[in-house]
Amino acid sequence: MVSDLQEATAFKAQQKFRLKPTQTILLSFVLMIGIGTVLLMLPVSTTNHAGLPFMDALFVSTSASCVTGLTVVDVQNDLSFFGKCVLLLLIQVGGLGIMTLATMVAHAMGYRFPLKQSIIVQESLSQSGRAGLFALIRRMIFYTFMVEGFFALLLTVHFYPEFGWEAIGYGIFHAVSAFCNAGFDLFGNYDSLCKRADDFVLLAGIGLPIILGGIGFTVIYDVLHCRSWRQYSLHTKIVLVSNLVLLTVGTLLIWALEANNGGTLADVPVAGQLAQSAFMSVSCRTAGFNTFDLAKATQITQLIMIILMFIGASPLSTGGGIKSTTMFVIMRSVWAVFRGESELVVFGRTITKDLRDQAFATFTVGTIWVVIMGMLLSVLDGEVHELEEVIFETVSAFGTVGMGIGLTLSWNDWGKGLLALTMLLGRVGIMSFMLSFIKQKQSAVIKYPEEEIMLG
């Protein structure tokens, strides 16, 4: 009897301290960021052989692990070859997800996953079932290295006349950074692609992998293996439609607003204006490369970019934000309310109420987080910069975009810490992050009477 009581007590204690899947995913990113921080603090990681200061190392490690691109160091001039390799590894692992890579390695070695560990992997990949889980992971890794390899070769050939054999490193680094939607570059002086904006091959060689990395692996699989639109899953249809709309609308708005702006596109031929506008529409969704000085863009353009950054990429991709599918469901739900539709039907399929609630919750919590962080950062900034500039930086971190308008280098340690936390939240996912700290209740058996209230 005493033994049974002791076993029951031990079981309860074990249950109490058992990590939830969302907590495990969060801790895996924290661990990766910690390792990256230590490596970047080593003297061998910097050109001055002093290593990065702790907060700078933490910020850069978080930015790379969360494939954001915001940086407080000049990657080309401040980091050594070893430091660049550490950064590249963090980007690659962060883009695929440490849980994904660890699972693939263990599975290849013959390890059999129990149910609990499979659930953790499912959570990290936003999957609802175990069926085809390892096949999906294999496809993810295969597509990643195929796309990165192709564009690394393309960019290497393109860079060779300028950099010689160093073009191999440039090609690999920028292909990985683009596909993982990281936004880090090796051109130095925080210029991104501003001095190479007329290089259409470079824009295509970086823009296309950004798109492929941003639409998600399941969409790539459907496009490659399904012969017709009807065979695509509902998820793939929504992702393709929403991305096409966002890309087109973003391109046209940026072009219309910046075509006559002397600080950005006014002196560029029309073909170049359209190319840069399209590239910026793609990049500001989650990648972070830029072809003109964002500080000189009009305020309306900056606002449009904030919206695109907040939406971000698509699920099961290398990007952040609230995701394009979330925004699609919200907009379609609003239209359904206006139309008086009792069910939300998209492409002949019904989207459940639970998914609609999750979409609105994601949007609401994301908005609240950005507003609160923006306010705190503005206070830390002493209101030296305009509020819209601070919000731009905040949303850039939340959407794991990495675009900046000149504020990143001016943050103190507290500001860097808040932005690093926002990048982590944006990469893990706002709902996963919140669920890591909130205990969910079981569905109540008792139902209470309904009563209506007045709404706007």
Side-chain angles (χ1 to χ4, degrees):
M1 185 70 178
V2 176
S3 177
D4 291 342
L5 181 61
Q6 290 176 340
E7 289 181 5
T9 304
F11 178 77
K12 288 182 179 180
Q14 183 181 6
Q15 290 292 105
K16 182 178 180 181
F17 293 103
R18 179 176 292 178
L19 293 176
K20 295 191 293 185
T22 51
Q23 292 174 329
T24 304
I25 296 166
L26 179 61
L27 286 176
S28 70
F29 273 95
V30 172
L31 176 63
M32 179 169 58
I33 291 169
I35 293 173
T37 300
V38 172
L39 291 176
L40 291 173
M41 291 176 66
L42 297 176
V44 71
S45 291
T46 57
T47 53
N48 63 2
H49 304 294
L52 293 180
F54 170 73
M55 188 51 71
D56 288 351
L58 175 65
F59 187 91
V60 174
S61 179
T62 304
S63 185
S65 301
C66 299
V67 290
T68 303
L70 287 175
T71 180
V72 291
V73 300
D74 186 330
V75 175
Q76 173 63 12
N77 297 317
D78 293 341
L79 295 184
S80 64
F81 176 77
F82 178 81
K84 294 185 181 78
C85 289
V86 170
L87 192 69
L88 183 64
L89 184 61
L90 291 173
I91 292 170
Q92 185 70 86
V93 177
L96 277 171
I98 190 170
M99 298 299 297
T100 303
L101 290 174
T103 300
M104 193 66 246
V105 171
H107 186 63
M109 295 175 65
Y111 178 76
R112 286 187 169 274
F113 286 79
L115 178 61
K116 182 178 182 296
Q117 293 184 6
S118 295
I119 291 174
I120 293 173
V121 180
Q122 288 167 211
E123 288 277 352
S124 70
L125 297 175
S126 303
Q127 297 296 296
S128 57
R130 297 178 71 182
L133 181 62
F134 298 111
L136 172 62
I137 293 175
R138 285 195 298 269
R139 289 198 298 267
M140 288 174 59
I141 295 177
F142 175 76
Y143 293 149
T144 296
F145 291 120
M146 285 296 293
V147 173
E148 289 177 353
F150 174 81
F151 284 100
L153 179 61
L154 174 67
L155 291 174
T156 296
V157 173
H158 183 65
F159 286 139
Y160 183 79
E162 180 179 358
F163 298 109
W165 290 110
E166 290 184 6
I168 297 175
Y170 277 81
I172 294 173
F173 188 96
H174 291 99
V176 173
S177 183
F179 183 75
C180 292
N181 283 213
F184 286 96
D185 68 86
L186 296 180
F187 301 122
N189 302 313
Y190 305 100
D191 288 329
S192 192
L193 307 184
C194 292
K195 295 181 179 179
R196 299 169 181 268
D198 58 346
D199 188 341
F200 290 175
V201 175
L202 179 60
L203 296 186
I206 290 180
L208 290 175
I210 290 174
I211 294 174
L212 293 174
I215 61 177
F217 297 99
T218 55
V219 176
I220 295 176
Y221 178 82
D222 272 2
V223 171
L224 291 177
H225 293 86
C226 296
R227 298 181 179 180
S228 67
W229 175 263
R230 288 185 177 182
Q231 293 179 319
Y232 290 167
S233 66
L234 176 61
H235 172 81
T236 295
K237 292 177 181 179
I238 291 177
V239 167
L240 291 177
V241 170
S242 59
N243 275 270
L244 179 61
V245 171
L246 290 169
L247 172 59
T248 304
V249 173
T251 299
L252 294 177
L253 288 176
I254 293 173
W255 177 61
L257 292 167
E258 299 299 325
N260 296 317
N261 184 350
T264 55
L265 298 180
D267 299 327
V268 179
V270 175
Q273 290 179 349
L274 290 171
Q276 289 193 47
S277 298
F279 182 87
M280 292 296 288
S281 179
V282 169
S283 185
C284 72
R285 289 269 307 287
T286 186
F289 296 98
N290 56 286
T291 59
F292 55 75
D293 188 349
L294 300 178
K296 296 179 180 178
T298 64
Q299 288 187 332
I300 302 300
T301 298
Q302 293 178 5
L303 176 60
I304 291 169
M305 289 182 174
I306 287 174
I307 295 172
L308 291 174
M309 289 191 296
F310 185 73
I311 295 172
S314 301
L316 202 56
S317 71
T318 56
I322 64 169
K323 303 296 189 288
S324 60
T325 49
T326 301
M327 201 65 198
F328 182 95
V329 171
I330 290 173
M331 298 304 295
R332 184 62 182 84
S333 298
V334 171
W335 182 245
V337 171
F338 290 150
R339 291 283 300 272
E341 299 173 359
S342 58
E343 292 186 339
L344 183 59
V345 179
V346 179
F347 298 121
R349 297 290 185 272
T350 300
I351 295 179
T352 64
K353 181 180 180 299
D354 287 343
L355 282 176
R356 297 166 70 174
D357 290 344
Q358 184 178 339
F360 278 99
T362 300
F363 177 86
T364 302
V365 177
T367 302
I368 292 172
W369 182 275
V370 167
V371 170
I372 292 176
M373 287 298 106
M375 292 168 58
L376 290 175
L377 286 169
S378 185
V379 171
L380 291 173
D381 183 56
E383 298 187 4
V384 173
H385 297 93
E386 297 293 334
L387 180 60
E388 59 266 24
E389 295 177 339
V390 177
I391 293 296
F392 190 101
E393 189 94 348
T394 307
V395 177
S396 180
F398 174 78
T400 67
V401 179
M403 283 187 171
I405 48 180
L407 274 69
T408 310
L409 295 175
S410 64
W411 295 114
N412 59 23
D413 287 350
W414 285 102
K416 293 173 184 176
L418 289 176
L419 282 175
L421 179 61
T422 302
M423 288 188 282
L424 176 61
L425 180 146
R427 182 65 184 99
V428 173
I430 184 70
M431 293 303 292
S432 294
F433 185 87
M434 299 304 295
L435 290 175
S436 298
F437 302 98
I438 299 175
K439 183 178 181 180
Q440 289 186 296
K441 296 182 179 180
Q442 298 295 327
S443 300
V445 178
I446 301 174
K447 292 187 177 181
Y448 295 93
E450 295 182 356
E451 186 173 347
E452 294 186 357
I453 62 173
M454 292 180 289
L455 299 174

